[in-house]
Amino acid sequence: MKQLVLVFIGGGLGSVLRFTISKYINDASTGIPYGTFLANILGSLLIGIILGLADKNHLITHNYTLLLATGFCGGLTTFSTFAFENHVFLKTGDFVNFALYTLFTFIIGFLAVFLGVFLIKNI
């Protein structure tokens, strides 16, 4: 039960941060979801750091990993919003922003995870 509560609290905090980032950074005039992109990249970097710390000499306990990686990063990052925003790009025929947003999110997201793990392993 404790683990469920940890994931719940972390997920709530991550979701509130995602909402706040998107509210202030998404560009309503162009429809480009900079905030969602930033939340996904930030979450990818953080999960790399958190899991790197958990792996490096077990510096983070399993419960903190659940709170921070599963909960917080899970709430912060959002594949469903990413998928819907891409749906909007395709529906409106904005294939350039669809391609750029998708490629940049995947490439930079993966690189952010690797960077987070790399930073922790080499600190």
Side-chain angles (χ1 to χ4, degrees):
M1 185 64 158
K2 177 182 178 181
Q3 293 176 335
L4 290 175
V5 172
L6 290 171
V7 172
F8 176 77
I9 291 169
L13 293 171
S15 295
V16 168
L17 180 58
R18 174 176 30 96
F19 170 78
T20 304
I21 290 171
S22 293
K23 180 178 179 179
Y24 291 104
I25 297 180
N26 279 357
D27 189 342
S29 65
T30 64
I32 297 176
Y34 295 115
T36 306
F37 176 76
L38 177 63
N40 285 333
I41 299 309
L42 179 61
S44 296
L45 177 62
L46 287 175
I47 203 167
I49 290 171
I50 292 161
L51 295 178
L53 284 170
D55 189 47
K56 183 179 182 180
N57 301 323
H58 304 286
L59 294 174
I60 294 181
T61 67
H62 180 67
N63 283 339
Y64 278 117
T65 301
L66 287 173
L67 173 74
L68 298 171
T70 305
F72 185 77
C73 290
L76 176 60
T77 60
T78 169
F79 189 78
S80 58
T81 301
F82 168 75
F84 178 75
E85 290 162 345
N86 274 312
H87 164 76
V88 172
F89 283 140
L90 291 173
K91 185 177 176 181
T92 61
D94 192 351
F95 301 111
V96 171
N97 279 324
F98 164 76
L100 291 173
Y101 183 46
T102 300
L103 288 173
F104 285 154
T105 298
F106 282 120
I107 292 169
I108 296 173
F110 282 120
L111 290 175
V113 169
F114 295 138
L115 175 63
V117 171
F118 174 81
L119 289 174
I120 294 305
K121 287 190 177 202
N122 292 295
I123 291 177

